[in-house]
Amino acid sequence: HGEENEFRIRPGGILHGVNVVDTTGAGDAFIGGYLLNDVTQRSSSLQSSATREEIDLSLGFGAWVAGKKLAGPGARSTLPTAEDMQNELGMDQETVSQKIFKLIKLQQD
């Protein structure tokens, strides 16, 4: 018997104040940001599955990365750097989480 997977569709939220110049690569930027945050959280946790708050944070971080990318032409010219993240979001998980949730109005379901 194969392992069963469960898939859920959830609202991620709305990132406000984004200057849209070019959408090229925004989806890839979102997925990259989501995965980076997800892997970072799981590497510091022994849990095999993410909590709702961890998923929301990964969605929010993906939206922040994609929002940064939207501000410039092409797929990579305005992707955020580690320095951008430190300056805008902080470095520790708690501070990043608080700032992401302030930047992104998460929809309630």
Side-chain angles (χ1 to χ4, degrees), residues 80-100:
T81 63
E83 184 177 345
D84 293 332
M85 183 181 153
Q86 182 175 359
N87 291 339
E88 294 182 37
L89 302 177
M91 288 304 290
D92 65 280
Q93 191 70 25
E94 180 71 23
T95 303
V96 170
S97 178
Q98 289 172 359
K99 289 191 177 181
I100 285 290

Side-chain angles (χ1 to χ4, degrees), residues 7-87:
F7 298 93
R8 295 181 184 181
I9 298 174
R10 324 160 47 113
I14 300 168
L15 181 63
H16 297 281
V18 176
N19 179 30
V20 179
V21 172
D22 186 356
T23 61
T24 303
D28 293 331
F30 172 81
I31 294 297
Y34 176 89
L35 291 174
L36 174 64
N37 192 268
D38 184 61
V39 168
T40 301
Q41 288 184 94
R42 288 179 195 239
S43 69
S44 63
S45 170
L46 298 176
Q47 298 176 2
S48 61
S49 61
T51 66
R52 166 112 191 201
E53 185 173 325
E54 290 169 336
I55 292 169
D56 287 344
L57 180 57
S58 292
L59 288 169
F61 189 76
W64 178 78
V65 171
K68 292 301 204 180
K69 185 269 133 294
L70 290 170
R76 301 183 318 180
S77 67
T78 55
L79 284 174
T81 63
E83 184 177 345
D84 293 332
M85 183 181 153
Q86 182 175 359
N87 291 339

